[in-house]
Amino acid sequence: MKMSEGVEWALHTCLNLAWVEDGSPVSATVLADYFRLPPAYLNKQLQALARAGIVSSVSGPRGGFRLAREPGDITVLDVVVAIEGPQDAFRCTEILRDAPHGEAGVDYRSTCAISQTMRKAELAWRRELAGQTLADVRATVESRFPLVAGQTRDGLRNRRT
Amino acid sequence: MKMSEGVEWALHTCLNLAWVEDGSPVSATVLADYFRLPPAYLNKQLQALARAGIVSSVSGPRGGFRLAREPGDITVLDVVVAIEGPQDAFRCTEILRDAPHGEAGVDYRSTCAISQTMRKAELAWRRELAGQTLADVRATVESRFPLVAGQTRDGLRNRRT
DNA sequence: GAAAAGGTACTCGGATAAGACATGTCCGAGTCCCTAAGG
DNA sequence: CCTTAGGGACTCGGACATGTCTTATCCGAGTACCTTTTC
């Protein structure tokens, strides 16, 4: 059970975008260079974020990506789902149906106690992630490390050609 | 982020073992045939459970697997960790270290706000799974479907050669 | 008849292939900006 | 000098290789039981 590494990239990149005060787009190349990541692959992740409506893309010179919504309206869960997909980690394949007394018409995804337990746990996980918005994370960082906001802004600006 | 299918197999199989009142071992072949699963592959999962001390194995004819502890002392988390491994789904690779102002000596796994958020969510997930023992699951099923316990016992007994 | 040695069949256990998914890369479609020519 | 058409460069977007992990299978090590032989 390994989460895609792109989730980490996407979260940090979204946080960086949240620090760009003017809504000017930042190219995938600049965003990738900031963390020394493969530009083309980060671009791929950003496309997923764009499809999910978290960032909006601008083509052409001076183009790039910007946050499509306010940081307070973007939860960490939104980003995770955008990259990983909406499916749960635990997928009940309803093996009870193949058991001796299994019946074809029953929906074992909802009746099976094990499936319920796993789903309940994932729900708790999602609840935690949905309770943290990008604005919350940004505020946490700014209160602990006040310099970071300015450093990031400058770092991204200097990398723009 | 997909959890191994073996987790579902292992949980259902452990639950079946919890219904074998006498501690007689049940072979992997019988356990696999009960759900029409590939025997050799289920055997592999059972080996992982044995390494984790959840089941104990007996070699030779009339051998097989039995629960190594009381069902009340086996949590769902124990089984999941035995199959999936102890590592978290989200692995912080500390990309902040490669950022412009990143420092080599800092442990970003503990300071990074994003890493903390993800870890907190996984902790909530683990807490849910650790709160459910195999005895709890068994009791839930028995209260809702009183016939299942006897059916499972008979089903496993009949498959023994 | 009882005991012991040997063989046999059945079990787990780890080493070994095949497939699926995440990772990484490349080139094309679209867009804006700059340049330059013409009015 | 102003307008406008054209070229060029830069961006996203999706299609195409590669690596790693899950899935699946196979054969060997070990053990209990049964058979057979001997006392």
Side-chain angles (χ1 to χ4, degrees), chain B residues 83-135:
Chain B
I83 303 296
E84 286 289 325
Q87 287 198 335
D88 287 351
F90 179 86
R91 279 113 161 185
C92 178
T93 60
E94 307 186 69
I95 63 175
L96 283 176
R97 180 165 295 144
D98 292 331
H101 292 272
E103 296 172 24
V106 178
D107 178 19
Y108 287 100
R109 281 193 178 84
S110 54
T111 57
C112 168
I114 289 174
S115 182
Q116 287 176 351
T117 298
M118 299 304 287
R119 188 162 43 245
K120 189 180 168 194
E122 294 213 20
L123 208 63
W125 178 75
R126 292 173 114 86
R127 196 191 318 277
E128 284 288 329
L129 295 183
Q132 284 277 319
T133 69
L134 221 55

Side-chain angles (χ1 to χ4, degrees), chain A residues 9-21:
Chain A
W9 301 1
L11 285 170
H12 277 283
T13 299
C14 283
L15 191 57
N16 279 356
L17 286 176
W19 271 315
V20 178
E21 70 271 353

